[in-house]
Amino acid sequence: MLILILGLIIFLGVHSVRIVAPQWREERRAAMGEGPWKGVYSLISLVGFVLIVWGFGMARSETGILYDPPVGLRHLAALLMLLAFISLGVFALPAGRLKPMLKHPMLVAVKTWAVAHLLANGETASVVLFGAFLAWAVADRISVKRRSAPLPAPGPVSYDIGAVAFGIILYLLFVWKLHLWLIGVPPLG
């Protein structure tokens, strides 16, 4: 579990610099330049992500069960994941009407993904992983609100239709094969 926790600290830590030290972040970006800053940021993120994946795989076999979710919560998690994928689609596509309404669709997607997985998974490694991402996303949302980051102007509804279609297609692909292939666990099993 130590590798999972180390990965979470590195990955979420680098993604938290804007939350805890925004001035330092801006000073480093200015001193390094945008390209090198993004390169270092991406490299640190990749190291953290690899440690999370590796550590989670090991921790799942080492840790015990904290709770056994009832079947109904697993069905709710499946519905929430559909909404998470649609929020991801809203984030990825240009702004329609949904992006300004959701304000920060990537954070909505992360929070929804984390809650869904906490509802469906009760073993210790899952609770640590998804709980950490949920806590980070809530902290980041509070930080974004305090910064008064500008929201995108509403665009055509066609972008919303595309975002919803993107989310549904990605969701179906994950239910069909991708979750089992990437994570090693059937999402509805």
Side-chain angles (χ1 to χ4, degrees):
M1 181 99 98
L2 183 61
I3 293 172
L4 171 61
I5 292 170
L6 179 62
L8 287 167
I9 289 169
I10 293 170
F11 185 84
L12 296 176
V14 75
H15 283 83
S16 298
V17 171
R18 178 179 260 174
I19 298 170
V20 297
Q23 184 63 34
W24 180 87
R25 177 184 179 271
E26 292 308 316
E27 289 168 2
R28 293 292 73 75
R29 278 180 57 187
M32 294 173 71
E34 189 70 22
W37 169 260
K38 285 184 176 180
V40 169
Y41 184 94
S42 297
L43 183 62
I44 294 170
S45 295
L46 181 61
V47 168
F49 183 74
V50 167
L51 290 173
I52 289 170
V53 171
W54 180 36
F56 184 70
M58 290 190 316
R60 275 189 1 203
S61 64
E62 298 170 355
T63 59
I65 304 288
L66 294 176
Y67 56 89
D68 187 22
V71 174
L73 288 182
R74 293 187 175 124
H75 293 299
L76 178 58
L79 174 62
L80 289 173
M81 284 308 302
L82 175 60
L83 298 175
F85 278 114
I86 290 171
S87 294
L88 184 63
V90 171
F91 168 76
L93 272 66
R97 301 282 188 236
L98 290 174
K99 191 174 276 193
M101 188 185 318
L102 292 178
K103 295 185 178 156
H104 304 285
M106 176 58 92
L107 292 175
V108 171
V110 171
K111 288 188 284 189
T112 307
W113 166 81
V115 167
H117 282 79
L118 285 168
L119 292 175
N121 299 286
E123 33 77 39
T124 307
S126 293
V127 172
V128 168
L129 174 69
F130 302 118
F133 270 93
L134 179 59
W136 170 81
V138 168
D140 196 30
R141 178 64 182 98
I142 292 167
S143 171
V144 168
K145 190 172 183 177
R146 286 187 180 152
R147 285 194 309 266
S148 300
L151 297 175
V157 174
S158 60
Y159 290 140
D160 295 330
I161 294 167
V164 170
F166 173 86
I168 290 171
I169 290 167
L170 195 55
Y171 173 80
L172 292 173
L173 288 171
F174 263 80
V175 169
W176 176 56
K177 291 280 185 190
L178 285 180
H179 197 278
L180 179 61
W181 182 63
L182 293 170
I183 314 299
V185 177
L188 301 177

